[in-house]
Amino acid sequence: MKTTVTEVDPTELDDTASRDDDSSAGSDEQKERTFGPKVKLTVEVDEETFDEAIDQAFRKIAQEVRIPGFRKGKVPRPVLESHIGGEYARAQALEDAIPGYYADAVRAESIDVIAAPELSLTAGEQSGQICFEAVVETRPTVSFSGYGDLEVEIPSPVPSDEEVQEQIDAQRRQSAELVDVERPASSGDQVSIDIQGTVDGEPLPGLTADDYLYAVGSGGIVEEVDNELEGASAGDELSFTAGHPVQEDVSIDFAIKVHAVKEEVLPELTDEWVEENTEHDSVENLRSETSQRMKMMRIFQANAAMRENTATALAELVEDSIPDSMVNGEMSEQLQQLAMRLQGQGMNLETWMQMTGQDPETFTEELRDAAERSAKVDLALRYIASNEAIEVDEDDLDEELERMAEQFQTSPNELRQQIEDQGDGLGPVKAEIGKRKALEWLASEVQLVDENGDPIDRKDLELPDLAESDSEEDSDADTVDNAEESHEEDPEKDQE
């Protein structure tokens, strides 16, 4: 098989786009399509190679026809040819084999395609060698500047003393007492209420209750409920209307009677309370453990945000138009991932959209924006990998194949063989590794700031060595034990 690759003149793309626009000029609004660069593959297949495809076609036909004297699927090729002729089998072979020849050509020439090809047979329909052309859209390249000066905001990996105290207070609330108070309710208070929610006079299930204890400011019903209850006192009766949290153009009429306002009284934070209600023996140990646990969680969150926000900031540097094929492909992939996640939760996309109150038009627009951003990140990372000479070596490839092989429950060698012989080749795998390395490099170079714009020390993003911390605690414990043993062995020294 012989393949010749030539670039397609961009002006031909403009002509095609113009014809497409003219053919649909009756619509109210037209969006100009964006194409990636196109190439034309001219593929020639010799008669001997194509004859194997004709044999396959005859075997396929043999499964579908019945000829007296032969079992189904066992009719020899010459007999089939005498009954149905060779033209039908040749047409079947062309239909079945050309997509495979095209895939082999793309793999052999390392063409980075982003859309389905336009195939046209130019020779061999009746006899002789096969020749066809495939015009296909390829991934464009972008270039830009400014990625060396990016500033990326991430949550601070170091919890403040106030945040640590808030976590401890959350534990104290589990032992809190509710005390009636003679004052208006404020956020954080509990109120005992009778509540009724109706739509057109009909009670709503789940929104009618007596002596219901509700936390003001929790957002447990709708925002208007919290707004009305804040500042209300025992004996107040409230009537108001609020929008339905899920259904558009539906209003809920609320009637609430406040019986009592209750304040949470937290227990005093002492060593005794800590020892009785937690796994620690002192306030100091509780505070230290809470701070360390929060820091571990914050470090994971900050590192994830660093990668995600770096990619988002990078996408904003790309000013090139993104081909529709790339955006549509990203949309399809993201939609499929969402559908799989929802299926795991026992719901479909339509139900999820109803629950979240999203209309199809807004959802599609947001999905397209996310897909375009993802496509920009893809092209930008490829550019950085090239511009910064970030290489993918065999060790990188072997490590990735091992990871993929474990995921697909096969061996790395078998997976490599499948990718090289049947898939798109190792090029896309190497490209993904290169993009990942480019993002890691960029994330290590950007300026990191917290929510207040203050610089973040990268050392704070490193996970603490827990083994070292445990060994230090063991060492301290050994020191205490040794001291106690020494005291028991020679008490007279203490008396002296």
Side-chain angles (χ1 to χ4, degrees):
M1 191 173 74
K2 177 184 176 183
T3 303
T4 305
V5 181
T6 55
E7 293 185 5
V8 176
D9 190 341
T11 58
E12 295 183 24
L13 301 182
D14 296 337
D15 293 341
T16 303
S18 298
R19 288 194 297 271
D20 290 343
D21 290 343
D22 292 341
S23 64
S24 56
S27 59
D28 295 333
E29 183 179 348
Q30 294 294 327
K31 179 182 179 299
E32 183 179 352
R33 292 189 61 191
T34 302
F35 296 92
K38 286 190 176 183
V39 298
K40 180 170 69 176
L41 285 73
T42 302
V43 183
E44 299 176 9
V45 183
D46 59 76
E47 292 185 71
E48 183 179 353
T49 300
F50 185 63
D51 195 58
E52 297 176 5
I54 295 178
D55 273 339
Q56 291 285 347
F58 272 115
R59 281 193 286 271
K60 183 177 181 179
I61 295 170
Q63 298 292 334
E64 301 171 353
V65 300
R66 291 185 178 277
I67 294 180
F70 295 93
R71 288 183 297 166
K72 190 176 182 180
K74 300 297 183 180
V75 185
R77 174 175 170 175
V79 175
L80 283 173
E81 284 188 276
S82 66
H83 279 74
I84 64 175
E87 295 80 4
Y88 180 76
R90 188 176 185 87
Q92 183 69 58
L94 288 170
E95 181 181 341
D96 294 342
I98 285 183
Y101 295 150
Y102 163 75
D104 291 341
V106 166
R107 186 165 50 246
E109 300 296 328
S110 300
I111 307 297
D112 192 1
V113 303
I114 60 172
E118 302 168 19
L119 297 172
S120 59
L121 184 66
T122 58
E125 183 175 5
Q126 301 297 329
S127 62
Q129 75 169 10
I130 303 301
C131 183
F132 67 90
E133 294 178 348
V135 177
V136 64
E137 201 174 350
T138 63
R139 192 183 310 273
T141 58
V142 297
S143 62
F144 54 90
S145 60
Y147 63 83
D149 302 316
L150 282 180
E151 183 178 272
V152 174
E153 179 183 311
I154 63 173
S156 173
V158 181
S160 65
D161 293 341
E162 293 76 12
E163 290 169 329
V164 173
Q165 184 62 48
E166 186 178 333
Q167 285 294 311
I168 294 175
D169 288 346
Q171 293 180 269
R172 294 168 66 197
R173 287 191 186 94
Q174 297 176 10
S175 305
E177 293 183 4
L178 289 178
V179 179
D180 287 353
V181 291
E182 299 296 329
R183 61 167 176 78
S186 60
S187 182
D189 287 336
Q190 303 266 353
V191 289
S192 176
I193 59 174
D194 295 341
I195 181 172
Q196 184 179 51
T198 60
V199 174
D200 297 331
E202 295 294 326
L204 275 180
L207 273 184
T208 300
D210 294 334
D211 293 325
Y212 180 67
L213 200 59
Y214 182 75
V216 180
S218 64
I221 304 178
V222 292
E223 183 180 354
E224 288 82 355
V225 170
D226 293 284
N227 294 340
E228 293 289 335
L229 286 174
E230 191 163 354
S233 301
D236 287 353
E237 296 186 6
L238 311 173
S239 298
F240 57 93
T241 300
H244 197 288
V246 176
Q247 301 177 21
E248 291 186 6
D249 302 325
V250 176
S251 297
I252 304 175
D253 296 319
F254 284 94
I256 297 177
K257 181 175 182 179
V258 182
H259 292 298
V261 177
K262 300 175 181 290
E263 179 182 9
E264 280 188 336
V265 178
L266 303 184
E268 186 179 356
L269 185 59
T270 63
D271 290 346
E272 290 75 17
W273 181 87
V274 169
E275 190 169 8
E276 290 177 3
N277 294 275
T278 73
E279 299 176 351
H280 307 284
D281 57 5
S282 68
V283 175
E284 181 181 357
N285 288 344
L286 173 62
R287 196 179 301 280
S288 174
E289 177 64 25
T290 301
S291 177
Q292 185 181 45
R293 186 179 66 252
M294 289 182 67
K295 186 174 183 180
M296 290 281 289
M297 182 179 65
R298 289 289 192 87
I299 289 174
F300 282 115
Q301 292 174 341
N303 277 286
M306 176 177 64
R307 292 187 292 271
E308 181 177 349
N309 296 352
T310 296
T312 300
L314 180 62
E316 295 175 357
L317 298 178
V318 179
E319 297 179 353
D320 302 63
S321 296
I322 305 301
D324 289 346
S325 298
M326 287 190 67
V327 176
N328 294 337
E330 288 285 349
M331 287 181 68
S332 177
E333 183 176 348
Q334 292 183 18
L335 192 60
Q336 185 178 13
Q337 291 175 354
L338 174 60
M340 291 178 63
R341 289 197 301 270
L342 293 176
Q343 186 178 10
Q345 300 172 16
M347 71 176 74
N348 56 30
L349 184 61
E350 183 179 357
T351 303
W352 176 78
M353 290 180 66
Q354 290 177 349
M355 292 180 62
T356 56
Q358 295 194 65
D359 62 90
E361 185 177 347
T362 302
F363 172 75
T364 302
E365 184 178 347
E366 292 177 352
L367 184 65
R368 176 169 291 278
D369 289 342
E372 184 173 359
R373 183 167 57 251
S374 180
K376 285 186 175 182
V377 171
D378 172 85
L379 297 178
L381 289 176
R382 291 170 187 267
Y383 169 71
I384 291 176
S386 174
N387 200 45
E388 298 296 333
I390 296 174
E391 297 182 352
V392 176
D393 56 30
E394 280 300 314
D395 290 339
D396 295 326
L397 184 58
D398 290 341
E399 183 178 340
E400 181 68 9
L401 289 174
E402 287 178 7
R403 185 192 65 79
M404 294 172 63
E406 183 176 354
Q407 179 181 353
F408 294 114
Q409 298 182 344
T410 185
S411 70
N413 288 336
E414 289 179 356
L415 180 62
R416 178 190 284 263
Q417 195 70 34
Q418 291 175 3
I419 293 174
E420 290 178 336
D421 294 345
Q422 303 171 17
D424 297 327
L426 293 173
V429 179
K430 291 180 179 179
E432 288 301 317
I433 299 172
K435 285 162 52 182
R436 188 165 63 241
K437 294 180 72 172
L439 181 57
E440 292 172 357
W441 174 85
L442 183 60
S444 69
E445 295 292 320
V446 299
Q447 299 295 318
L448 298 177
V449 296
D450 63 16
E451 300 91 332
N452 301 319
D454 297 325
I456 288 180
D457 189 342
R458 286 186 176 271
K459 291 182 180 179
D460 291 334
L461 295 173
E462 299 175 1
L463 289 172
D465 190 343
L466 297 181
E468 181 178 339
S469 175
D470 291 342
S471 66
E472 289 178 358
E473 291 180 5
D474 294 341
S475 177
D476 291 342
D478 290 342
T479 303
V480 173
D481 293 340
N482 291 337
E484 291 177 351
E485 290 174 3
S486 175
H487 176 73
E488 292 174 357
E489 290 174 359
D490 197 358
E492 294 183 1
K493 287 187 178 180
D494 292 337
Q495 294 177 357
E496 295 176 358

